Every structure is written in structure tokens, then in C-alpha cells.
Amino acid sequence: MESISRRTAVACCAGALLAPLAVRAQAFPGKSITLVVPWPAGGSTDRHFRALSEIAARHLGQTILIDNKPGAGGTLGPSTVALTAKPDGYTVAQYPLGMLRYPHMQKVTWHPIDDFTFIIGISGYTFGFVVPAASPYKTFNDYVEAARKAPGRIDYGSTGVGTSPHLLIEELAAAAKIQLNHVPYKGNADLMQALLGGHVMAASDATGWDKFVDSGQMRLLLTFGEQRAQRWPDVPTARDLGYNVVSTSPYGLIGPKGMDPAVVKTLHDAFRKAMDDPKHLEVLQQLNQTVWYRSGEDYRKWATETFTKERALIERLGLAAK
């Protein structure tokens, strides 16, 4: 009897210790959640996450507030979350591919894998290269020929050093044996305004240019998918033009390291349901993007493998930290 009583007492103590954890998990979320978008308001990523978050908020029963925190090629927002946010699930962020490249290019105070909790993989970009409608460059080959005649004097803008839009054009430039002048911006919104204002000749970016192309203000010269974009079937891919450069640049949702698995599951499940919502799928179609679902575990595995692979690209382009 004494042994049974002792075991019963131990079990009761263990249950008492676990009870607060269960209560916390059941109570989450008890207030609004902040989702950091590391790009300016109005761009394609901002448009995507505002739509997705509105749907996910209904499943969570709490408001999701978008906090635009651009800078450092999209790495400032998520790295700030990793270094300063509590791992309570109330602050999360988009995790762009640049997070797996930037540490290869310069010294950073965060680790792209160890300092994060990976929640869910969501989608990937369609990248394209655009010029103003009045540009003399009718095709991408026209642009390349101009660069050959004026090395280093033909420019283009991107959403920042080390971002996919930057590195894609650098890969093309290396393959075409031309020298371009790269002008980095904080994100899609200011890049598009710079292009429309004549401050830069061309722009490499995700589909934040879609409305300008459709309205006739910009000309789309090139995309970077495996196949031509359904929305712009007459526009060639880089591969169509003989360049073996393809990218969709997947992204998802992260939080700081050390998050409660139960809280992670709650966030994952809400965003997973939101991803399948017809209104979200409609937004993806507008952006010419597709669902790229990964569980938190699979997303972390992908990020770990990609971090190793991206170093080879950075070194090949001569951008690795000395």
C-alpha cells in the first residue's frame, strides 16, 4: 500500500507540474499576434501576408497585426524577432530565402537555423525582370546588348543585396559575360516607384510589378520559373533564352527559438487552414504563386539543407565574406 501511495503521490505531483503548461497552451492565443513582414507595405509579400493573416486570425480567434520592418535584404525583420522577441508565439515573422544567404556574405549576430523555431512553409515567389513601358529595351536580349556596349553603365534595381532578385540577375550577368550596375532598394514598393520615376533602368523582383505590367506602365521581359507564367504566357523564362537560372525562393513563418510545441501547433494549424481557403488561393493566383506547404519539421530540414547549398552559389558569384 505504501508503494502504491508513493507512486500515486508522484503522479499527482507530475500532473500538477504539467497542468500550467496545458493551461498556457489551451489559453493561446489570449491576445493579438504580431507578424513581422520584412518588406515595405504595399509590396507582393505584404499583400500576401495581409490576406493570409486575415483568414488565419479567424481560426485563432485573435487579430494578427502586420508589422513592416524592411532592411538588410529582408533579414532585419526575422533576425530582430530571433534576437529580441519572447518565444511565446505572439511575435512571428516571414522567413525569406535571403536568411540562408546573408550569413555567407557577411558576419551576423544570429544563426539562420539554431536561433529560430520553424512553424510552416507557405509559398514561393514568381520573379521577373521589368522595364518602364517607354524603355528602349523591348526584349531581355536588347538589355544584354546594351550592357555589352556600355559595361557597368546599364543598371537595374532589386529588393536588396543577397536577395533572390539580386542574385538571379547576377547569375544571368555572369552567364552572359556582362557587367551591370546593381542598385539595392528596401523592397518592392520603393523599387517600383523608383522604376516608374526613371531613377533606375530596370527592376528584378517578385510579382509586385504585376499591376503595372497589366496596366501597360511596365514591360515584363523575363521570368524565372520552371515554366512560363500562366498569367503572362508570351513572356520567356530565363531557361527559354538559354540561361539555366530557375528560382521560386520559398518562404514561410518562423518564431524565435524555444517556442512551446503546443503553441507552434496552434499557429501551424491555423495558417495551414488559411492556406487552403479559396480567398487565399485567389491571392496566390493574382501573384502567380503556388502553395509550398511544409510542416515545421520539414521546413527546418529544408532550411538546413538549403543553407549549405547556398554557400556554393555565394562563392561562385564572388560575394562570400572574406
Side-chain angles (χ1 to χ4, degrees), residues 138-275:
K138 307 299 182 184
T139 68
F140 187 73
N141 286 335
D142 291 342
Y143 180 83
V144 170
E145 287 304 314
R148 288 205 173 103
K149 295 175 182 177
R153 291 168 55 193
I154 303 300
D155 64 31
Y156 75 96
S158 83
T159 46
V161 175
T163 60
S164 292
H166 169 217
L167 298 188
L168 285 170
I169 299 303
E170 291 303 313
E171 281 195 86
L172 285 185
K177 298 180 180 179
I178 58 175
Q179 181 183 351
L180 300 172
N181 178 31
H182 174 230
V183 184
Y185 289 85
K186 287 185 177 181
N188 168 267
D190 55 338
L191 173 57
M192 293 296 97
Q193 290 307 308
L195 185 63
L196 290 172
H199 303 296
V200 66
M201 297 178 182
S204 176
D205 194 11
T207 42
W209 35 255
D210 62 340
K211 55 188 176 183
F212 302 111
V213 171
D214 289 345
S215 68
Q217 293 176 276
M218 294 182 186
R219 184 182 303 119
L220 179 60
L221 303 184
L222 186 75
T223 58
F224 291 92
E226 290 279 357
Q227 300 176 336
R228 294 191 180 196
Q230 290 184 359
R231 192 164 161 189
W232 304 281
D234 295 333
V235 178
T237 66
R239 183 170 284 176
D240 287 338
L241 299 181
Y243 302 103
N244 190 27
V245 181
V246 177
S247 177
T248 55
S249 194
Y251 60 81
L253 203 62
I254 54 84
K257 66 179 180 182
M259 288 177 60
D260 184 337
V263 170
V264 174
K265 185 178 186 306
T266 297
L267 289 168
H268 167 279
D269 292 352
F271 277 90
R272 182 71 184 101
K273 292 175 183 176
M275 286 167 63

Side-chain angles (χ1 to χ4, degrees), residues 276-307:
D276 290 333
D277 189 283
K279 289 187 177 180
H280 174 246
L281 296 177
E282 182 179 341
V283 171
L284 286 187
Q285 186 175 25
Q286 292 171 4
L287 296 173
N288 205 69
Q289 295 181 201
T290 58
V291 168
W292 184 79
Y293 168 68
R294 297 292 185 277
S295 66
E297 182 180 350
D298 288 342
Y299 189 19
R300 181 185 181 89
K301 181 180 179 182
W302 172 87
T304 301
E305 294 172 350
T306 303
F307 181 50

Side-chain angles (χ1 to χ4, degrees), residues 115-151:
D115 287 336
F116 296 90
T117 297
F118 291 81
I119 299 170
I120 188 171
I122 296 173
S123 185
Y125 297 109
T126 289
F127 294 112
F129 192 76
V130 293
V131 295
S135 170
Y137 312 127
K138 307 299 182 184
T139 68
F140 187 73
N141 286 335
D142 291 342
Y143 180 83
V144 170
E145 287 304 314
R148 288 205 173 103
K149 295 175 182 177

Side-chain angles (χ1 to χ4, degrees), residues 6 8 48 62 73 83-84 198 262:
R6 186 179 293 113
T8 302
H48 180 205
Q62 291 290 345
L83 296 173
T84 64

